Amino acid sequence: MLPYRIRMAGKAMSEQLPAVLISEAEIDQRVRELAAEISADYADKGNVVLVGVLKGSFIFLADLSRRLTISRTIEFIAVSSYPDGNVASGAVRLVMDVRGNIENRHVLIVEDIVDTGHTLKYLIGMLRSHRPASIKTCTLLHKPGSAEVEVPIDYIGFGIGDEWVVGYGLDYAERGRTLPYIGVINPDD
């Protein structure tokens, strides 16, 4: 692994680049495939609202939205589900709701990763209160082995195991988010 530098609290910290789990090229190809599938499914639905879940989905949402061939608008929502930074408690808290009106509109929730399912279940229920015409879900990564609740996932980029991952929007303690690939880390290091 090649060393890289991260700035934290004004100090540079040398770290190793995470091992590649999913390459930049693989991500690009899969995002193109997802965009084609979503575009076909929503071809006759009018303007679709893509709801990106901050912060992790922002890179995936940007790349996906640029490749869609359908009319779309973008909204963001923010939730908190890791109160101590790295352990999922199951409790989800709304930090920022969508700002635009999604009533009677087709909504596609765009997530970076679905592991336990608690966050996505919460988001679906919360967004239903806005009375959209439909809600579907799209995630870049899915950890089926970590599921604690059942949630519908309509579009999945990649299924992965129980590894800790960073890159392409995903982070660990705000680090690794801007890597162009999905890498595996050991958070205990």
Side-chain angles (χ1 to χ4, degrees), residues 154-173:
D154 300 289
Y155 307 97
I156 298 173
F158 301 93
I160 63 171
D162 198 29
E163 48 275 289
W164 280 89
V165 291
V166 296
Y168 201 70
L170 291 99
D171 74 299
Y172 177 74

Side-chain angles (χ1 to χ4, degrees), residues 103-117:
E103 186 174 354
N104 297 318
R105 299 185 64 198
H106 296 283
V107 170
L108 179 63
I109 300 170
V110 180
E111 265 278 35
D112 56 349
I113 189 167
V114 175
D115 45 28
T116 65

Side-chain angles (χ1 to χ4, degrees), residues 53-54 77-83 89-97 118-119 122-123 126:
V53 183
L54 293 175
I77 196 163
V79 293
S80 174
S81 60
Y82 295 93
S89 67
V92 181
R93 179 176 62 90
L94 181 66
V95 175
M96 182 182 82
D97 200 350
H118 290 288
T119 300
Y122 172 84
L123 288 173
M126 195 279 302

Side-chain angles (χ1 to χ4, degrees), residues 118-187:
H118 290 288
T119 300
L120 190 56
K121 181 178 181 179
Y122 172 84
L123 288 173
I124 292 168
M126 195 279 302
L127 288 172
R128 276 195 180 124
S129 71
H130 291 276
R131 297 186 307 275
S134 70
I135 297 177
K136 286 191 174 186
T137 59
C138 177
T139 186
L140 176 65
L141 302 176
H142 180 225
K143 289 184 174 183
S146 299
E148 294 178 5
V149 296
E150 267 191 55
V151 290
I153 305 173
D154 300 289
Y155 307 97
I156 298 173
F158 301 93
I160 63 171
D162 198 29
E163 48 275 289
W164 280 89
V165 291
V166 296
Y168 201 70
L170 291 99
D171 74 299
Y172 177 74
E174 293 299 323
R175 297 185 304 188
R177 194 181 297 280
T178 59
L179 292 170
Y181 63 90
I182 302 294
V184 178
I185 64 164
N186 181 355

